[in-house]
Amino acid sequence: MAEETSEDKYKKRMQRKKEHIDSHIAAATKEQGIVILLTGNGKGKSTSGFGTVLRCVGHDLKAGVAQFIKGKWDCGERNVLEKLGVPFHVMATGFTWDTQNKELDTQAAQAVWTETKKMLADPELTLVLLDELTYIARYGYVDTNEIVEAIKNRPKMQSVIITGRGCPKALSEIADTISEVKDERHAYNAGIKAQKGIDW
Ligand code: ATP
Ligand code: MG
C-alpha cells in the first residue's frame, strides 16, 4: 500500500474539521436576535461593539447607539455613524469621577435611558449598542431589573450589545454571548498617552 503523504494527511485533517464545523452549523437552527456582553479589563470592548454596528449598517440594516458615561469625549465613531443616519444618544455629562454629583449623573443617565427604551422597542433596529451600560446599572443610575426587562422584551430579531466592566449578574445572565477582553498589557501603563483615532 502506498504510504500516506503529508498532503493526504492534511486533506484528511481538513475533511474531519469540515465535518465537525458542518455538524455545528446544522445544529444551529434558531433565528433570533442575541444579547452580546463585551466585558473585562482589556482594551477592545467598545471598538468591538462599534465594529459590529458598522457591519450591520454595511448590510443596509438599521442600528442605534446609546453611549453611557463618556459623552463628553469627541468620539470618532459618532462622527461617522451620525453622518450615516445612525441614531446616537450620549450622556451630556462626562466621567462620573469628574462630575462627582450623583443627582446630575442620574439625570443624565435617565435621559439617555429614556431614548434607549425607545430603541429597544423599535423592530426596525437590527442592532442596538449600549456602550458602557454596565456602569449605569452598577452605580444604580437606572434600576438593573428595569434594564433587564426592557432588553428581554425587545423585538425578536433585534440584537443588543452591552459593553463595560463589572456587569451586574442579573444583566450578564440574559446574555447569549459573553466575551471577556483580558488586560495582558496596556500602553497607558508604560506612560503612553491615549490618542485620538486610537482610543476615542
Ligand atoms: P476601546 O474603546 O479602546 O475599545 P474599551 O471599551 O475596551 O476600550 P474602556 O474601559 O471603555 O475600554 O476604556 C476606554 C479607554 O480606556 C480607551 O481609551 C482605552 O484605551 C483605555 N483603556 C482600556 N483598557 C485599559 C487598561 N487596561 N488600562 C488603561 N487604559 C485602558
Ligand atoms: Mg469602552
Side-chain angles (χ1 to χ4, degrees), residues 35 113-122 128 130 133 142-156 158 160 162 171 174:
V35 177
W113 176 243
T114 300
E115 296 307 317
T116 300
K117 279 192 284 190
K118 291 180 197 160
M119 295 197 289
L120 292 173
D122 183 351
V128 179
L130 305 176
L133 177 76
V142 178
D143 180 54
T144 302
N145 292 329
E146 192 182 331
I147 296 172
V148 167
E149 284 312 303
I151 293 174
K152 271 189 176 170
N153 294 326
R154 74 194 189 282
K156 184 173 178 246
Q158 185 182 84
V160 171
I162 298 164
L171 194 51
I174 60 164

Side-chain angles (χ1 to χ4, degrees), residues 40-48 70 73 77 131-132 135 163 165 181 183 185-186 188-189 194 198-200:
N41 290 329
K43 173 176 167 64
K45 300 173 290 294
S46 296
T47 41
S48 169
K70 295 178 180 176
W73 277 33
E77 291 95 336
D131 191 32
E132 321 297 348
Y135 308 106
T163 80
R165 303 171 195 207
V181 184
D183 179 28
R185 185 182 300 165
H186 197 286
Y188 176 76
N189 293 322
I198 305 295
D199 293 294
W200 74 87

Side-chain angles (χ1 to χ4, degrees), residues 67-103:
Q67 199 168 36
F68 294 93
I69 302 287
K70 295 178 180 176
K72 238 160 74 172
W73 277 33
D74 164 31
C75 165
E77 291 95 336
R78 182 182 181 185
N79 300 338
V80 174
L81 294 173
E82 279 190 337
K83 280 185 202 149
L84 296 174
V86 173
F88 206 113
H89 303 285
V90 297
M91 271 174 60
T93 51
F95 289 101
T96 181
W97 46 92
D98 277 342
T99 61
Q100 294 169 6
N101 182 328
K102 179 148 191 185
E103 182 68 20

